[in-house]
């Protein structure tokens, strides 16, 4: 797994299904400053599309997504 994105907070939402990973991310984003990056780890197979929609809806930039074997990592930059 690459660590090319410097994040200030990590949320492990493994084992949770929608909408819980999004809700955890939303709560965590509220605790960081504008421009900082949140890393979210998910195992829900729909999370990639969910985080793309969440990003578009909230205007928090989805910096990157890395799809691994059984999980995905999402990097969100707070607006």
């Amino acid at each position: 797994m690459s660590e090319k994105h410097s994040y200030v907070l990590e949320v492990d939402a493994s084992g949770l299904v929608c909408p819980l990973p999004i809700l955890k991310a939303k709560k965590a984003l509220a605790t960081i400053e504008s421009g900082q990056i949140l890393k979210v780890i998910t195992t829900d197979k729909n999370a990639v599309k969910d985080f793309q929609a969440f990003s578009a809806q909230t205007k928090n930039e989805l910096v990157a997504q890395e799809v691994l074997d059984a999980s995905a990592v999402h990097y969100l930059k707070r607006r």
Side-chain angles (χ1 to χ4, degrees):
M1 183 182 340
S2 74
E3 295 296 333
K4 61 182 175 280
H5 304 285
S6 56
Y7 55 92
V8 295
L9 186 60
E10 180 177 316
V11 171
D12 187 354
S14 299
L16 302 177
V17 293
C18 188
L20 293 174
I22 294 289
L23 293 173
K24 281 189 162 283
K26 188 175 181 182
K27 192 172 184 180
L29 280 169
T31 69
I32 64 176
E33 294 177 24
S34 180
Q36 291 183 320
I37 295 178
L38 171 69
K39 176 182 177 180
V40 185
I41 302 166
T42 59
T43 52
D44 181 354
K45 64 183 181 295
N46 296 317
V48 171
K49 285 183 182 174
D50 292 343
F51 274 88
Q52 291 168 356
F54 173 74
S55 172
Q57 224 172 22
T58 63
K59 306 291 186 253
N60 290 298
E61 182 187 349
L62 187 58
V63 179
Q65 289 181 303
E66 297 173 2
V67 179
L68 310 168
D69 290 337
S71 64
V73 181
H74 318 271
Y75 295 92
L76 286 162
K77 183 188 286 187
R78 181 166 180 202
R79 59 178 164 89

